[in-house]
Amino acid sequence: MYTPEFSKPRVLSVSQLNFYIKSIIENDARLNFVFVTGEISNLTDHYRSGHIYLSIKDEKSVIRAVMFAGNARNLKFRPTDGMKVICRGRVAVYEPTGQYQLYIEDMQPDGIGALSLAYEQLKKSLAEKGLFAPEHKKKIPPFPNSIGVITSPTGAAVQDIRNILSRRFPSADIIMCPVLVQGENAPAQLIDAVQKLDKYNACDVIIIGRGGGSIEDLWAFNDENLAYAIYNCKIPVISAVGHETDFTICDFVSDLRAPTPSAAAELAVPDTAELVDYYKSQKQYVSSMATLKLRQEYNALTELKTRLSVVSPQQRIFEYEKSLELCKTKIQHFVQETINKKTADITKTAAKLEGLNPVKILSRGYSIAEKDGKAVNSAKMLKSGDEFTLRFSDGEIKAKATGE
């Protein structure tokens, strides 16, 4: 039968025990590279140091975890309590407390891409702060003298923008700001270009964008600092990032979103040919309207003149003059007729009187008065109104007695 030998037990300090456990865990290759999935809780984000302290839990257990600043800076999204994540890292012991924990080197949202989650988080945050509000949108000038273009100098987008601007509105100057549009240094160059154009008031409108690509290619346009630079820019900004189906934070914060760089150029300036046709039609319209208006006013003036002439004092005086002239003519005619008639009567009476002139009668010789064929010897034989005949040697005169 085996009888074990008992020796005096070794007494360890707390530090020695923690160190021993630490060495066991850290020498286990399986614990040096692990993937752990769970829900974030008790998250503490030290903004000054950049370290993130949290717990990862499931339905039954929980493990403490830490993500140091060097790794945390590479996160594309912002971890929050309750978020389900997949973490890659190593398990180690923190000697001062004897607590083992997960040291996270990389973290991804479970079920959704990190970039997509980061995009949605930033979009929600900026919307709540009012950066996308319509009342902050500036109007694009209808006839800009100069257009600032912020894009890659080698991409197809810059050629499309140049060609369209030159064709549609050749009088406008194009101010090129060549920048990186993807990669780690792209956001800083984009921000610098926007701020310099705004600082020196170098143009009337800014086009910022690039051609299409993946969400990773377009990520520079989802930068939070770029969003604030565009929001604070006093010059109107047109965003033209990617294709029609691509949306970035830059699109939402800009004053106008264009589906493509080519569309941005068309939105930035008017078409000279269309303007010429428009103003020609406007000229023709104004001319025809002016002619119509003049004709209407002339007809109204003519009608008014006609109406005024009826009640015009001058017209009334003219009508009175005509009436007076007519009366004058009638009076003159009446007077002349009266004169003529009286002249004729006088002439006739004078002729009769002349025939009764005693001198003439005596010069004609002795006359015999007869009444009813009988000689009248005395005037007493005649009554007033009696007709009698004076016979002379050279003729006779019919007469009528007057008086008593």
Side-chain angles (χ1 to χ4, degrees):
M1 181 176 181
Y2 173 73
T3 303
E5 296 182 2
F6 291 95
S7 61
K8 185 179 179 179
R10 182 180 178 185
V11 179
L12 301 175
S13 67
V14 174
S15 297
Q16 290 174 326
L17 180 60
N18 284 349
F19 177 78
Y20 178 69
I21 295 172
K22 176 181 173 69
S23 63
I24 293 175
I25 292 176
E26 291 183 356
N27 287 327
D28 188 335
R30 290 173 296 183
L31 297 178
N32 284 333
F33 190 82
V34 295
F35 287 90
V36 179
T37 180
E39 182 181 304
I40 295 175
S41 65
N42 302 318
L43 184 138
T44 303
D45 192 346
H46 287 278
Y47 291 99
R48 289 187 177 180
S49 65
H51 305 326
I52 300 175
Y53 299 93
L54 66 158
S55 297
I56 305 295
K57 67 177 183 178
D58 58 17
E59 295 82 358
K60 297 180 179 179
S61 301
V62 61
I63 184 173
R64 294 292 299 171
V66 61
M67 190 174 196
F68 293 124
N71 294 318
R73 279 195 296 268
N74 296 324
L75 287 177
K76 301 299 184 182
F77 67 99
R78 182 174 299 171
T80 58
D81 283 328
M83 183 182 295
K84 192 173 183 182
V85 293
I86 299 175
C87 302
R88 175 179 62 81
R90 60 187 176 85
V91 179
V93 175
Y94 183 59
E95 274 189 76
T97 62
Q99 184 179 41
Y100 82 94
Q101 58 188 3
L102 177 65
Y103 289 81
I104 301 172
E105 296 172 357
D106 185 35
M107 183 189 298
Q108 297 291 333
D110 190 2
I112 184 173
L115 293 181
S116 297
L117 178 60
Y119 169 78
E120 293 299 334
Q121 287 178 334
L122 181 58
K123 178 182 174 184
K124 180 181 179 182
S125 174
L126 296 179
E128 291 173 349
K129 295 176 182 177
L131 269 70
F132 306 158
E135 56 267 25
H136 295 303
K137 305 294 183 183
K138 295 176 286 295
K139 291 184 178 180
I140 308 302
F143 304 103
N145 293 318
S146 57
I147 299 97
V149 179
I150 303 174
T151 190
S152 169
T154 58
V158 67
Q159 296 302 326
D160 292 341
I161 292 174
R162 275 178 169 171
N163 292 337
I164 292 174
L165 291 178
S166 300
R167 173 176 55 82
R168 286 175 62 87
F169 204 61
S171 62
D173 296 326
I174 303 174
I175 301 173
M176 295 301 306
C177 295
V179 294
L180 293 174
V181 293
Q182 68 183 71
E184 188 175 336
N185 297 323
Q189 293 191 15
L190 291 167
I191 293 168
D192 183 62
V194 171
Q195 291 177 341
K196 283 184 177 178
L197 288 176
D198 185 43
K199 178 180 178 181
Y200 297 106
N201 196 26
C203 55
D204 298 318
V205 63
I206 295 173
I207 297 175
I208 182 171
R210 56 156 291 160
S214 64
I215 187 171
E216 291 83 2
D217 295 335
L218 306 181
W219 192 251
F221 295 89
N222 289 321
D223 185 82
E224 183 174 3
N225 292 326
L226 176 61
Y228 277 101
I230 294 173
Y231 177 76
N232 294 321
C233 182
K234 295 183 290 295
I235 301 173
V237 178
I238 300 176
S239 174
V241 183
H243 299 303
E244 187 169 358
T245 56
D246 297 322
F247 284 89
T248 63
I249 298 299
C250 182
D251 292 325
F252 293 106
V253 75
S254 294
D255 300 293
L256 181 65
R257 186 247 176 187
T260 63
S262 299
E266 293 179 355
L267 293 171
V269 296
D271 189 340
T272 303
E274 292 179 359
L275 286 176
V276 171
D277 292 339
Y278 172 76
Y279 285 115
K280 281 183 178 179
S281 64
Q282 288 297 103
K283 178 183 177 182
Q284 184 177 359
Y285 172 76
V286 171
S287 178
S288 61
M289 291 301 296
T291 302
L292 177 62
K293 186 66 175 177
L294 285 174
R295 186 179 298 113
Q296 291 174 342
E297 293 299 325
Y298 177 79
N299 292 338
L301 183 61
T302 303
E303 181 183 357
L304 184 60
K305 184 179 179 181
T306 303
R307 291 171 60 187
L308 286 175
S309 65
V310 176
V311 296
S312 168
Q314 184 179 1
Q315 180 66 22
R316 288 192 174 186
I317 291 172
F318 176 72
E319 290 177 356
Y320 289 151
E321 287 179 346
K322 286 177 62 178
S323 179
L324 185 60
E325 188 67 26
L326 180 59
C327 290
K328 178 182 176 182
T329 302
K330 288 182 177 181
I331 291 172
Q332 288 178 340
H333 182 70
F334 175 76
V335 169
Q336 189 62 43
E337 283 187 345
T338 302
I339 292 173
N340 291 341
K341 184 177 179 182
K342 293 299 182 182
T343 301
D345 291 344
I346 291 172
T347 301
K348 185 176 179 181
T349 303
K352 287 183 177 181
L353 290 175
E354 186 65 23
L356 297 174
N357 188 343
V359 176
K360 282 194 175 186
I361 292 174
L362 292 175
S363 67
R364 294 169 64 186
Y366 180 80
S367 63
I368 299 174
E370 292 183 355
K371 176 185 178 184
D372 299 330
K374 294 180 179 181
V376 178
N377 294 326
S378 174
K380 293 181 179 180
M381 296 179 63
L382 297 174
K383 298 178 181 177
S384 178
D386 287 345
E387 294 181 354
F388 62 94
T389 302
L390 295 175
R391 294 188 182 276
F392 300 92
S393 58
D394 57 351
E396 60 182 26
I397 295 176
K398 297 290 186 180
K400 184 181 290 186
T402 60
E404 294 294 333

Coordinates of all heavy atoms in Angstrom, one line a residue, residues 195-244:
Q195 N -13.1 74.8 -45.5 CA -12.9 75.9 -44.7 C -12.1 77.0 -45.4 O -12.4 78.2 -45.1 CB -12.1 75.4 -43.4 CG -12.9 74.6 -42.5 CD -12.2 74.0 -41.3 OE1 -10.9 74.0 -41.3 NE2 -12.8 73.6 -40.2
K196 N -11.2 76.7 -46.2 CA -10.4 77.7 -47.0 C -11.3 78.4 -48.0 O -11.2 79.6 -48.1 CB -9.2 77.1 -47.7 CG -8.1 76.7 -46.7 CD -6.9 76.2 -47.4 CE -5.7 76.0 -46.5 NZ -4.5 75.4 -47.1
L197 N -12.1 77.7 -48.7 CA -13.0 78.4 -49.7 C -14.0 79.3 -48.9 O -14.3 80.4 -49.4 CB -13.8 77.3 -50.5 CG -13.0 76.5 -51.5 CD1 -13.9 75.4 -52.1 CD2 -12.5 77.4 -52.6
D198 N -14.4 78.9 -47.8 CA -15.3 79.7 -47.0 C -14.6 80.9 -46.4 O -15.1 82.0 -46.4 CB -16.0 78.8 -45.9 CG -17.0 79.6 -45.1 OD1 -17.8 80.3 -45.7 OD2 -17.1 79.5 -43.9
K199 N -13.4 80.7 -45.9 CA -12.7 81.8 -45.2 C -12.4 82.9 -46.2 O -12.5 84.1 -45.8 CB -11.4 81.2 -44.6 CG -10.5 82.2 -44.0 CD -9.2 81.6 -43.4 CE -8.3 82.6 -42.8 NZ -7.0 82.1 -42.3
Y200 N -12.0 82.6 -47.4 CA -11.6 83.6 -48.3 C -12.8 84.0 -49.3 O -12.6 84.8 -50.2 CB -10.4 83.2 -49.2 CG -9.2 83.0 -48.3 CD1 -8.7 81.7 -48.0 CD2 -8.5 84.0 -47.8 CE1 -7.6 81.5 -47.2 CE2 -7.4 83.8 -47.0 CZ -6.9 82.6 -46.7 OH -5.8 82.4 -45.9
N201 N -14.0 83.4 -49.0 CA -15.1 83.7 -49.8 C -14.8 83.6 -51.3 O -15.0 84.5 -52.1 CB -15.7 85.1 -49.5 CG -17.1 85.4 -50.1 OD1 -17.8 84.4 -50.2 ND2 -17.4 86.6 -50.4
A202 N -14.1 82.5 -51.6 CA -13.5 82.3 -53.0 C -14.5 82.0 -54.1 O -14.1 82.1 -55.3 CB -12.5 81.2 -52.9
C203 N -15.7 81.6 -53.7 CA -16.7 81.2 -54.8 C -18.1 81.5 -54.3 O -18.3 81.8 -53.2 CB -16.5 79.8 -55.2 SG -16.6 78.6 -53.8
D204 N -19.0 81.3 -55.2 CA -20.5 81.5 -54.9 C -21.2 80.2 -54.5 O -22.2 80.3 -53.8 CB -21.2 82.1 -56.1 CG -20.6 83.5 -56.5 OD1 -20.4 84.3 -55.5 OD2 -20.5 83.8 -57.7
V205 N -20.6 79.1 -54.9 CA -21.2 77.8 -54.6 C -20.1 76.8 -54.6 O -19.2 76.9 -55.4 CB -22.4 77.4 -55.5 CG1 -21.9 77.3 -56.9 CG2 -23.1 76.2 -55.0
I206 N -20.3 75.7 -53.7 CA -19.2 74.7 -53.6 C -19.9 73.4 -54.0 O -21.0 73.0 -53.6 CB -18.7 74.6 -52.2 CG1 -17.9 75.9 -51.8 CG2 -17.8 73.4 -52.1 CD1 -17.5 75.9 -50.4
I207 N -19.2 72.6 -54.9 CA -19.5 71.2 -55.2 C -18.5 70.3 -54.5 O -17.3 70.5 -54.7 CB -19.6 70.9 -56.7 CG1 -20.6 71.8 -57.4 CG2 -19.8 69.4 -56.9 CD1 -20.6 71.7 -58.9
I208 N -18.9 69.4 -53.6 CA -18.0 68.5 -53.0 C -18.5 67.0 -53.3 O -19.7 66.8 -53.1 CB -17.9 68.7 -51.5 CG1 -17.0 67.8 -50.8 CG2 -19.3 68.7 -50.8 CD1 -16.7 68.1 -49.3
G209 N -17.6 66.2 -53.7 CA -18.0 64.8 -54.0 C -17.0 64.0 -54.6 O -15.8 64.3 -54.7
R210 N -17.5 62.8 -55.1 CA -16.6 61.9 -55.8 C -17.5 60.9 -56.5 O -18.7 60.9 -56.4 CB -15.7 61.1 -54.8 CG -16.5 60.4 -53.7 CD -15.7 59.3 -53.1 NE -15.6 58.2 -54.1 CZ -14.7 57.2 -54.0 NH1 -13.8 57.2 -53.1 NH2 -14.7 56.2 -54.9
G211 N -16.9 60.0 -57.3 CA -17.7 58.9 -58.0 C -18.1 57.8 -57.0 O -17.9 57.9 -55.8
G212 N -18.7 56.8 -57.5 CA -19.3 55.8 -56.7 C -18.3 54.9 -56.1 O -17.1 54.9 -56.4
G213 N -18.7 54.0 -55.2 CA -17.8 53.1 -54.5 C -18.5 52.4 -53.4 O -19.7 52.6 -53.2
S214 N -17.8 51.5 -52.7 CA -18.3 50.8 -51.5 C -18.5 51.8 -50.4 O -18.0 52.9 -50.4 CB -17.4 49.7 -51.1 OG -16.2 50.2 -50.7
I215 N -19.1 51.3 -49.3 CA -19.3 52.1 -48.1 C -17.9 52.5 -47.5 O -17.7 53.6 -47.0 CB -20.2 51.4 -47.0 CG1 -20.5 52.4 -45.9 CG2 -19.5 50.1 -46.5 CD1 -21.5 51.8 -44.9
E216 N -16.9 51.6 -47.7 CA -15.6 51.9 -47.2 C -15.0 53.0 -48.0 O -14.3 53.9 -47.5 CB -14.7 50.7 -47.2 CG -15.1 49.6 -46.2 CD -16.2 48.7 -46.7 OE1 -16.7 48.9 -47.8 OE2 -16.6 47.8 -45.9
D217 N -15.2 53.0 -49.4 CA -14.6 54.0 -50.3 C -15.2 55.4 -50.0 O -14.6 56.4 -50.1 CB -14.9 53.6 -51.7 CG -14.2 52.4 -52.1 OD1 -13.1 52.1 -51.5 OD2 -14.6 51.7 -53.1
L218 N -16.5 55.4 -49.6 CA -17.2 56.7 -49.4 C -17.1 57.2 -47.9 O -17.7 58.2 -47.6 CB -18.7 56.5 -49.8 CG -19.0 56.0 -51.2 CD1 -20.5 56.0 -51.4 CD2 -18.4 56.9 -52.2
W219 N -16.4 56.4 -47.1 CA -16.5 56.7 -45.6 C -15.9 58.1 -45.3 O -16.4 58.7 -44.3 CB -15.7 55.6 -44.9 CG -16.0 55.7 -43.4 CD1 -15.2 56.1 -42.4 CD2 -17.3 55.4 -42.8 NE1 -15.8 56.1 -41.2 CE2 -17.1 55.6 -41.4 CE3 -18.5 55.0 -43.3 CZ2 -18.2 55.5 -40.5 CZ3 -19.5 54.8 -42.4 CH2 -19.4 55.0 -41.0
A220 N -15.0 58.6 -46.0 CA -14.5 60.0 -45.7 C -15.6 61.0 -45.7 O -15.5 62.0 -44.9 CB -13.4 60.4 -46.7
F221 N -16.6 60.8 -46.4 CA -17.7 61.8 -46.4 C -18.8 61.6 -45.3 O -19.8 62.2 -45.3 CB -18.4 61.7 -47.8 CG -17.5 62.1 -48.9 CD1 -16.7 61.2 -49.6 CD2 -17.5 63.5 -49.3 CE1 -15.9 61.6 -50.6 CE2 -16.6 63.9 -50.4 CZ -15.8 62.9 -51.0
N222 N -18.5 60.6 -44.4 CA -19.3 60.4 -43.2 C -18.6 60.9 -42.0 O -19.0 60.6 -40.9 CB -19.6 58.9 -43.1 CG -20.6 58.4 -44.1 OD1 -21.5 59.1 -44.5 ND2 -20.3 57.2 -44.6
D223 N -17.5 61.7 -42.2 CA -16.8 62.2 -41.0 C -17.6 63.3 -40.3 O -18.2 64.2 -40.9 CB -15.4 62.8 -41.5 CG -14.6 63.2 -40.4 OD1 -13.9 62.3 -39.8 OD2 -14.6 64.4 -40.1
E224 N -17.6 63.2 -39.0 CA -18.4 64.1 -38.2 C -17.8 65.6 -38.3 O -18.6 66.5 -38.4 CB -18.4 63.7 -36.7 CG -19.2 64.6 -35.8 CD -19.3 64.1 -34.4 OE1 -18.7 63.0 -34.1 OE2 -20.0 64.7 -33.6
N225 N -16.5 65.7 -38.3 CA -15.9 67.1 -38.4 C -16.2 67.7 -39.8 O -16.3 68.9 -39.9 CB -14.4 67.0 -38.1 CG -14.1 66.6 -36.7 OD1 -14.8 67.0 -35.8 ND2 -13.0 65.9 -36.5
L226 N -16.2 66.9 -40.8 CA -16.6 67.4 -42.1 C -18.0 67.9 -42.1 O -18.3 68.9 -42.7 CB -16.4 66.3 -43.2 CG -16.8 66.7 -44.6 CD1 -16.0 67.9 -45.1 CD2 -16.7 65.5 -45.6
A227 N -18.9 67.2 -41.4 CA -20.3 67.6 -41.3 C -20.4 69.0 -40.7 O -21.1 69.8 -41.2 CB -21.1 66.6 -40.5
Y228 N -19.6 69.2 -39.6 CA -19.7 70.5 -39.0 C -19.1 71.6 -39.9 O -19.5 72.7 -39.9 CB -19.0 70.4 -37.6 CG -19.8 69.9 -36.5 CD1 -19.7 68.6 -36.1 CD2 -20.8 70.7 -35.9 CE1 -20.6 68.1 -35.1 CE2 -21.6 70.2 -34.9 CZ -21.5 68.9 -34.5 OH -22.3 68.5 -33.5
A229 N -18.0 71.2 -40.6 CA -17.4 72.2 -41.5 C -18.4 72.7 -42.6 O -18.5 73.9 -42.9 CB -16.2 71.6 -42.2
I230 N -19.2 71.7 -43.1 CA -20.2 72.1 -44.2 C -21.3 72.9 -43.5 O -21.8 73.8 -44.1 CB -20.7 70.8 -44.8 CG1 -19.6 70.1 -45.6 CG2 -21.9 71.1 -45.7 CD1 -19.9 68.8 -46.2
Y231 N -21.7 72.4 -42.3 CA -22.8 73.1 -41.6 C -22.4 74.6 -41.3 O -23.3 75.5 -41.5 CB -23.1 72.4 -40.3 CG -24.2 73.0 -39.5 CD1 -25.5 72.9 -39.8 CD2 -23.9 73.8 -38.3 CE1 -26.5 73.5 -39.1 CE2 -24.8 74.3 -37.6 CZ -26.1 74.2 -37.9 OH -27.1 74.8 -37.2
N232 N -21.2 74.8 -40.9 CA -20.8 76.2 -40.6 C -20.3 77.0 -41.8 O -20.0 78.2 -41.6 CB -19.6 76.1 -39.6 CG -20.0 75.5 -38.3 OD1 -21.1 75.8 -37.8 ND2 -19.2 74.7 -37.6
C233 N -20.3 76.4 -43.0 CA -19.8 77.1 -44.2 C -20.9 78.1 -44.6 O -22.1 77.8 -44.7 CB -19.5 76.1 -45.3 SG -18.9 76.9 -46.8
K234 N -20.4 79.4 -44.9 CA -21.4 80.4 -45.3 C -21.7 80.3 -46.8 O -22.7 80.9 -47.2 CB -20.8 81.8 -45.0 CG -20.6 82.1 -43.5 CD -20.1 83.4 -43.2 CE -18.6 83.6 -43.6 NZ -17.7 82.8 -42.8
I235 N -20.9 79.6 -47.5 CA -21.2 79.4 -49.0 C -22.0 78.2 -49.1 O -21.8 77.2 -48.5 CB -19.8 79.2 -49.7 CG1 -18.9 80.5 -49.5 CG2 -20.1 79.0 -51.2 CD1 -17.5 80.3 -50.1
P236 N -23.1 78.3 -50.0 CA -23.9 77.1 -50.2 C -23.1 75.9 -50.8 O -22.2 76.1 -51.6 CB -24.9 77.6 -51.3 CG -24.9 79.1 -51.2 CD -23.5 79.5 -50.7
V237 N -23.4 74.7 -50.3 CA -22.7 73.5 -50.6 C -23.6 72.5 -51.3 O -24.7 72.2 -50.8 CB -22.0 72.9 -49.4 CG1 -21.3 71.6 -49.8 CG2 -21.0 73.9 -48.7
I238 N -23.2 72.0 -52.4 CA -23.9 70.9 -53.1 C -23.1 69.6 -52.9 O -21.9 69.6 -53.3 CB -24.1 71.2 -54.6 CG1 -24.9 72.5 -54.8 CG2 -24.8 70.0 -55.3 CD1 -25.0 72.9 -56.3
S239 N -23.7 68.6 -52.4 CA -23.0 67.3 -52.2 C -23.3 66.4 -53.3 O -24.4 66.3 -53.8 CB -23.5 66.6 -50.9 OG -23.0 65.4 -50.7
A240 N -22.2 65.8 -53.8 CA -22.4 64.9 -55.0 C -21.5 63.6 -54.7 O -20.4 63.5 -55.4 CB -22.0 65.6 -56.3
V241 N -21.9 62.8 -53.8 CA -21.1 61.6 -53.4 C -21.7 60.3 -54.0 O -22.8 60.0 -53.6 CB -21.0 61.6 -51.9 CG1 -20.0 60.4 -51.5 CG2 -20.4 62.9 -51.3
G242 N -20.9 59.6 -54.8 CA -21.3 58.3 -55.3 C -22.4 58.4 -56.3 O -22.6 59.3 -57.1
H243 N -23.2 57.3 -56.3 CA -24.3 57.2 -57.3 C -25.6 57.6 -56.6 O -25.6 58.0 -55.4 CB -24.4 55.7 -57.8 CG -23.1 55.3 -58.5 ND1 -22.6 55.9 -59.6 CD2 -22.3 54.2 -58.2 CE1 -21.5 55.3 -60.0 NE2 -21.3 54.3 -59.2
E244 N -26.7 57.5 -57.3 CA -28.0 58.0 -56.9 C -28.4 57.2 -55.6 O -29.1 57.8 -54.8 CB -29.0 57.8 -58.0 CG -30.4 58.4 -57.7 CD -31.3 58.5 -58.9 OE1 -30.8 58.1 -60.0 OE2 -32.4 58.9 -58.7

